[in-house]
């Protein structure tokens, strides 16, 4: 005898009481992390527009928009508390580890930490003697200075390491990003190190930059890549100053540095990996 065909069980409609678990009114708000990340992205966009404009009134208006977002202090707070996707708290840990492995210092390493905010990154490492600078210092022991204005110390007081952790991506002027890499040479003792950190998305998801391309840029700028490692959010590079190329001194220290370390390759904004979803992070060098 043929078995009676079973009616498929009707799915029960899921009815949630309004205004309680499923109600729009009580639905959990989007986590503030998203809002913070948006603020940071807007801040970066404004910073790039400020770098591009030559009109003083427009620059003031753009600065006012940054202030309305909370200004640099908001940016730094997000950076410290981790609202930004580019949180850098973990970056000092990696640099301290690789520097110790590599150098096994018996006297404290002189380290210039650029963009140090509150100057806490290296507090727990007794074998590191940090000097902290920031455009907008958030603690008295952090010097208020633009890296480009920081005085170059005498030769015997130059730094073993210059830290550029999450700083290049802050700079709105794309050419200044490359200049920053060249500028760092002035502060280094011979064969000293630069510790470079960027949000991973800057190399992993950009139309204009890849790991290979960044390697080529830093090599042209006069550094060997000694260590490179990515975390879930950051790309971290320990660079070592190359031995200077033979060249005549220039009229200024920066000119001399360029002749000594820069191989002259020009890096322009060139699409490397197309994709509408990709970001447009870029470093120019010339
Ligand atoms: C995202 S925070 C980086 C914080 C920290 N270094 C880290 O890794 O988490 C960027 C900081 O760089 C600073 N900064 C940007 N350009 C700078 C410059 N030219 N000279 C000094 N500080 C700069 C900003 O003021 C900001 O506090």
């Amino acid at each position: 005898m043929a078995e009676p065909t079973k009616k498929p069980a009707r799915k029960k409609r899921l009815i949630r009481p309004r205004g309680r678990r499923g109600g729009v009114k009580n639905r959990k708000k989007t986590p503030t992390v998203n809002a913070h990340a948006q603020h940071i992205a807007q801040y970066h966009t404004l910073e790039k527009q400020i770098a591009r404009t030559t009109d003083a009134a427009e620059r003031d208006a753009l600065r006012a928009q940054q202030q309305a977002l909370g200004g640099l202090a908001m940016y730094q707070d997000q950076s410290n508390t981790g609202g930004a996707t580019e949180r850098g708290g973990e970056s000092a840990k990696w640099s301290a580890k690789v520097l110790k492995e590599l150098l096994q210092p018996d006297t404290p390493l002189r380290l210039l930490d650029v963009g140090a905010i509150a100057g806490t990154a290296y507090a727990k490492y007794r074998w590191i003697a940090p000097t902290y600078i920031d455009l907008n210092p958030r603690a008295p022991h952090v010097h208020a200075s633009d890296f480009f204005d920081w005085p170059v110390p005498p030769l015997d007081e130059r730094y073993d390491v210059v830290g550029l952790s999450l700083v290049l991506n802050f700079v709105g002027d794309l050419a200044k990003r490359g200049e920053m890499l060249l500028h760092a040479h002035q502060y280094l003792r011979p064969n000293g190190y630069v510790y470079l950190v960027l949000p991973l998305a800057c190399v992993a998801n950009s139309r204009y930059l890849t790991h290979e391309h960044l390697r080529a840029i830093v090599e042209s700028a006069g550094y060997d890549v000694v260590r490179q490692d990515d975390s879930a959010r950051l790309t971290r590079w320990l660079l070592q100053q190359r031995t200077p190329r033979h060249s005549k001194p220039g009229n200024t220290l920066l000119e001399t540095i360029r002749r000594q370390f820069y191989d002259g390759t020009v890096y322009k904004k060139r699409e490397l990996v197309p994709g509408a979803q990709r970001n447009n992070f870029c470093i120019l060098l010339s």
Side-chain angles (χ1 to χ4, degrees):
M1 209 167 79
E3 278 196 27
T5 46
K6 267 191 190 165
K7 269 193 178 176
R10 265 186 75 192
K11 263 193 175 173
K12 274 194 181 167
R13 270 184 68 200
L14 182 67
I15 301 170
R16 288 201 178 115
R18 262 197 208 177
R20 297 194 68 203
R21 280 198 308 139
V24 175
K25 267 201 249 162
N26 291 303
R27 192 170 296 156
K28 264 198 170 173
K29 293 214 173 72
T30 318
T32 48
V33 162
N34 288 347
H36 293 160
Q38 268 178 23
H39 278 160
I40 293 279
Q42 284 168 8
Y43 194 94
H44 277 283
T45 305
L46 291 165
E47 196 67 28
K48 275 192 256 174
Q49 290 171 345
I50 289 165
R52 270 200 302 264
T53 186
T54 50
D55 180 337
E58 190 187 355
R59 187 174 308 120
D60 288 348
L62 293 165
R63 287 257 176 255
Q65 286 183 51
Q66 280 188 326
Q67 285 310 317
L69 284 173
L72 183 50
M74 172 285 298
Y75 182 96
Q76 292 174 320
D77 288 344
Q78 297 319 317
S79 179
N80 271 343
T81 57
T85 49
E86 57 212 44
R87 171 168 46 171
E90 70 206 67
S91 64
K93 202 170 158 193
W94 186 81
S95 61
K97 182 171 166 277
V98 294
L99 285 168
K100 191 157 198 184
E101 273 170 21
L102 210 66
L103 303 177
Q104 300 180 353
D106 43 23
T107 53
L109 288 181
R110 290 174 52 79
L111 184 149
L112 177 66
D113 188 19
V114 180
I117 309 184
T120 51
Y122 297 96
K124 65 177 177 190
Y125 306 105
R126 291 231 201 102
W127 50 274
I128 295 181
T131 300
Y132 296 111
I133 67 170
D134 200 293
L135 294 175
N136 184 40
R138 303 293 292 276
H141 66 287
V142 180
H143 302 272
S145 176
D146 188 323
F147 180 40
F148 288 103
D149 299 329
W150 184 244
V152 175
L155 263 176
D156 59 344
E157 288 175 26
R158 300 240 167 118
Y159 301 96
D160 299 295
V161 187
V162 171
L164 295 174
S165 175
L166 298 173
V167 176
L168 257 71
N169 53 302
F170 176 94
V171 177
D173 181 334
L174 310 187
K176 269 201 157 180
R177 294 174 179 170
E179 270 175 46
M180 227 176 208
L181 292 172
L182 294 175
H183 183 77
H185 282 295
Q186 298 181 89
Y187 300 89
L188 292 176
R189 52 103 169 141
N191 302 118
Y193 295 84
V194 166
Y195 171 52
L196 175 68
V197 180
L198 292 170
L200 181 59
C202 291
V203 291
N205 196 30
S206 166
R207 278 187 284 280
Y208 304 106
L209 195 65
T210 60
H211 284 83
E212 294 70 34
H213 197 67
L214 180 55
R215 180 179 285 267
I217 290 174
V218 298
E219 287 178 356
S220 285
Y223 300 97
D224 286 319
V225 179
V226 183
R227 295 279 169 88
Q228 198 282 306
D229 179 68
D230 293 342
S231 70
R233 302 154 68 107
L234 302 175
T235 184
R236 307 173 290 199
W237 300 63
L238 187 69
L239 313 175
Q240 185 173 23
Q241 184 184 72
R242 287 183 166 172
T243 307
R245 307 141 60 84
H246 294 287
S247 65
K248 286 185 287 179
N251 291 327
T252 61
L253 177 58
L254 188 57
E255 211 179 292
T256 304
I257 287 291
R258 289 178 69 90
R259 289 183 184 182
Q260 284 181 327
F261 296 107
Y262 177 36
D263 72 5
T265 312
V266 174
Y267 292 84
K268 294 187 177 163
K269 192 167 183 176
R270 183 167 61 87
E271 191 170 74
L272 302 168
V273 196
Q277 298 304 314
R278 292 186 166 262
N279 66 62
N280 57 8
F281 185 81
C282 181
I283 297 175
L284 306 184
L285 185 69
S286 62

